[in-house]
Amino acid sequence: MAKKNKFQPSPLRQPGLFDISDPNTDGGGIFGEELPVHPSILDFVVHHTATTADNAAAPSNPIEEPIKDYPVERGSLLLVSFGSGSSGNCAYLGTRSGGILIDAGVDVPTVTKGLESIGLTLEDVKGILITHDHSDHIRFAYSIVRKHSWMGVYCTPKTLNGILRRHNISRRLSDYHRPIYKEFPFELAGFRITAFNVSHDGSDNSGFFLESGSQTVAVATDLGSITERVNHYMRQANHIIIEANYDAEMLRCGRYPAYLKARIEADDGHLDNTVTARFLSSLLTPRLHNIFLCHLSEDNNTPQKAIEAVGDALRGHPDVASGDITMPRLDIFPRYERSTVYSLHL
């Protein structure tokens, strides 16, 4: 397969729907030994078991004690992921006083236990931001909000329509919907939040730019190319959460059928490690403090490959090599486990 240049910090075509494979998978979501699997059944299959190699490769160990026992700098934000990848995505961003969930693709007991481990409960969550309508990002949204009625589901109207049309989920989710619109900021849990367009194959796909005091966080969990809007918001961020989905050689030599490989490589598919690495290197300024890689494919990537690709690109930046810029912290959200609890500050 010819390798495309997905890093183009200029406007690209708007992605259309691409339904030849289940939107829940990233190409790291095909299960069993037989291929191809008919796309209509993939949406109902969930990863339950991580591989031993993946567990061993996690770049950092989760903190098991409550965060209240750890010093957190005044004005800092807390970030913790409860799962990242085609098995389910959900992260908490906020403070000790409360915050938000980004996506709701991880089961409620896991999220509850993860919050408790940092001294919080679901009572402290003010709302859920939904990036797009794929089931690994939304499957537990209704389970959460129906027992916590103050907690709105914040997504675009097109995203909500996609959720209700494409998934077996209660129509009552609409009761909790708080419509948002791309490029129109809104306030939630102490954040000023702006949704922006990303190139992926859902019904509607959003990244989020969050401002809290002097700190800024940019999130793009699933995207197939670096569009102008992604470039615009990522360049303003102190802390970045971005996909590094696949290693091109692993995908090329892997067992996926040609149509699925094409979906993953498409401009509205997923990001190759090298594309993510090149883009992140282009963003390096003293403003950037933290980079978190998310949504790694289980079958077409490894944490070591992602860290190596991005780390080498950052270290190779002339200003890092000369010592003019300190290399930002680089880490990976584990696929199936709670991440380290990160204290984000300037």
Side-chain angles (χ1 to χ4, degrees), residues 142 161 164-167 169-175:
Y142 183 67
N161 290 339
L164 298 179
R165 185 180 73 250
R166 303 172 76 169
H167 302 288
I169 193 167
S170 173
R171 298 282 167 175
R172 294 193 62 186
L173 183 66
S174 300
D175 297 341

Side-chain angles (χ1 to χ4, degrees), residues 37-66:
V37 178
H38 193 278
S40 65
I41 70 169
L42 293 176
D43 191 42
F44 303 100
V45 186
V46 182
H47 278 307
H48 289 291
T49 306
T51 62
T52 300
D54 184 40
N55 291 336
S60 54
N61 295 321
I63 299 173
E64 297 302 333
E65 298 82 2

